[in-house]
Amino acid sequence: MKEGPDIARVAALIGDPARANMLTALMVGKALTATELAAEAGVTSQTASTHLAKLDGGNLLRVRKQGRHKYFSLATDDVAAVLEGLMGLAAKSGHLRTRTGPRDASLRKARVCYNHLAGDMGIRMFDSFHGRGFLVLEREALRLTSEGAEFVAGFGIDLDKLAAQKSPLCKECLDWSARRSHLAGSLGRALLSRIEALGWAKRDPDSRAVIFTQRGEAAFARQLAVATV
Amino acid sequence: MKEGPDIARVAALIGDPARANMLTALMVGKALTATELAAEAGVTSQTASTHLAKLDGGNLLRVRKQGRHKYFSLATDDVAAVLEGLMGLAAKSGHLRTRTGPRDASLRKARVCYNHLAGDMGIRMFDSFHGRGFLVLEREALRLTSEGAEFVAGFGIDLDKLAAQKSPLCKECLDWSARRSHLAGSLGRALLSRIEALGWAKRDPDSRAVIFTQRGEAAFARQLAVATV
DNA sequence: CAGATGGTTCGATTAGGGTCGAACTATGAA
DNA sequence: TTCATAGTTCGACCCTAATCGAACCATCTG
């Protein structure tokens, strides 16, 4: 009856509405300050402070002090993955927080998941990469093949800089809208920021949606999400 | 500030210690009755009843009535996956419920995760299957190749019977001890029960550990977890 | 039928934790 | 230095939800 790690602590941390709002807000990948998160959660700054201390104590957040500001972000990709998993369960049991509106469709199509591309387009890119042999599933998670490295470099991504980081290069992440994998990890992040730098898409400032321009979407389909079937 | 599914509800369900104990107990994959779960959680049958009703209402459980008994099991593999994810976070933040004891090592080596094999040996089998081309990662999750099907059939598993079930055949599941994938889904379940039927291993009745016999472990290494490197 | 066991419902109690007002510290700007 | 803003700590309040005793249904056994 007492074996394995203590789920209840972590789940209870996520289980409070205010804290859940904060975590969801952090899913966009940006670091947010305490007051921003307070607004996001709809509570005063005092209560936000206690919440954030608890989340930090549970190792769910990464904290950086900058001047008189305190920036919070999700601790690791694993945390984001668990949050996505919970969203999947919640969505399946029919408890959406908002009625399906127009914005919901765009969220399903393309959104940001802890700084990498998720939603339909994220999945299409992942599938295409896999089909073209850029990514292979190996014992140690996902690996970028040499062909993949070449392609990615040609797309304008500095792999050496990514390799210097300690966070894993490639990782799978499971979507809550579809139930399939998309690319996470530092490469996933780099790809999204490259897409933004190319002007193919930009993020909706008020939500997790990623909005592609017409030309951007076409270029995306031509280069990143080539059909392989 | 209000987009996507409502995490807090689900997380709060898991966040109560009693309910978390119940869910953890169900991770072995067996269906348990209400009183068994009450004992597992350390509460009276009345409170267990209310807890189980809530878990069921949150679509986390599957319920079957059999005579005067009520059998509970986890609703889907997704639920198990999220629970494993939470265990990973909890383990990383150092909050193990029990001190690392002798049993802990055996749990890391081989344990049951919602009826399929997890732990080191589960990962080795998964890697081997993948390396031998029995499993490929496709857009629609994991697929068993024809070579894989042939092998599995030769191992004494009736694939037609599995295909008749509506639950997915192959699925990945992430370990909390290692951070790697092992095989879930109905095929994962079938493999484990075949391993038990062959007398290679049997489950520890008091925990999630799976204990292999010497001969069983050798046979496992020879047939299921062949090194491919 | 009676007796026993599994499970549920109700009500009352209680404790834990989220919340905010107010006072306090720390950093930056003028 | 003075003011403003970001964040924390403390105390008090309040409310939800977990818990159990007791009574109640349902199902199986003899």
Side-chain angles (χ1 to χ4, degrees), chain B residues 86-110:
Chain B
L86 284 169
M87 286 185 192
L89 293 186
K92 207 169 28 174
S93 74
H95 285 131
L96 284 176
R97 264 200 299 196
T98 42
R99 305 286 154 221
T100 21
R103 187 198 268 167
D104 216 50
S106 60
L107 278 181
R108 262 171 229 284
K109 182 173 178 191

Side-chain angles (χ1 to χ4, degrees), chain A residues 14-207:
Chain A
I14 312 175
D16 176 78
R19 287 194 291 260
N21 280 332
M22 294 177 173
L23 292 170
T24 317
L26 289 172
M27 286 288 283
V28 302
K30 268 200 310 187
L32 296 177
T33 99
T35 35
E36 285 171 324
L37 286 169
E40 206 70 41
V43 293
T44 62
S45 61
Q46 312 100 322
T47 65
S49 180
T50 66
H51 283 312
L52 290 168
K54 291 187 182 180
L55 287 175
D56 183 33
N59 284 95
L60 296 182
L61 295 184
R62 196 184 137 212
V63 192
R64 273 163 299 177
K65 245 194 276 188
Q66 232 170 77
R68 59 179 165 180
H69 293 273
K70 219 168 173 182
Y71 284 95
F72 296 89
S73 48
L74 296 186
T76 68
D77 285 5
D78 297 329
V79 177
V82 167
L83 292 178
E84 279 270 331
L86 284 169
M87 287 186 192
L89 293 186
K92 210 171 25 176
S93 73
H95 285 131
L96 284 176
R97 261 199 304 195
T98 43
R99 305 286 153 220
T100 21
R103 186 198 270 167
D104 216 49
S106 60
L107 279 180
R108 261 171 230 283
K109 182 174 179 191
R111 68 178 182 280
V112 82
C113 164
Y114 196 44
N115 263 343
H116 56 259
L117 186 63
D120 261 10
M121 299 190 65
I123 296 171
R124 277 168 51 199
M125 183 172 76
F126 181 81
D127 288 348
S128 170
F129 274 35
H130 188 260
R132 286 190 275 175
F134 294 167
L135 290 172
V136 289
L137 180 62
E138 266 189 356
R139 29 189 181 298
E140 201 75 23
L142 222 51
R143 192 172 64 79
L144 188 68
T145 63
S146 51
E147 295 91 344
E150 195 178 335
F151 172 82
V152 167
F155 187 59
I157 285 175
D158 184 355
L159 274 174
D160 296 330
K161 198 187 287 178
L162 294 185
Q165 303 177 12
K166 65 172 180 180
S167 61
L169 188 66
C170 302
K171 260 194 120 171
E172 289 182 90
C173 184
L174 212 60
D175 253 69
W176 63 261
S177 47
R179 281 206 227 158
R180 294 168 36 192
S181 294
H182 56 250
L183 183 63
S186 58
L187 179 59
R189 277 190 280 263
L191 281 167
L192 178 55
S193 57
R194 181 73 182 138
I195 285 171
E196 291 181 274
L198 288 170
W200 291 3
K202 59 174 192 291
R203 305 191 188 180
D204 179 0
D206 299 328
S207 78

Side-chain angles (χ1 to χ4, degrees), chain B residues 34 45 52 119 165 187 194:
Chain B
S45 61
L52 290 168
Q165 301 176 13
L187 178 59
R194 181 73 182 139

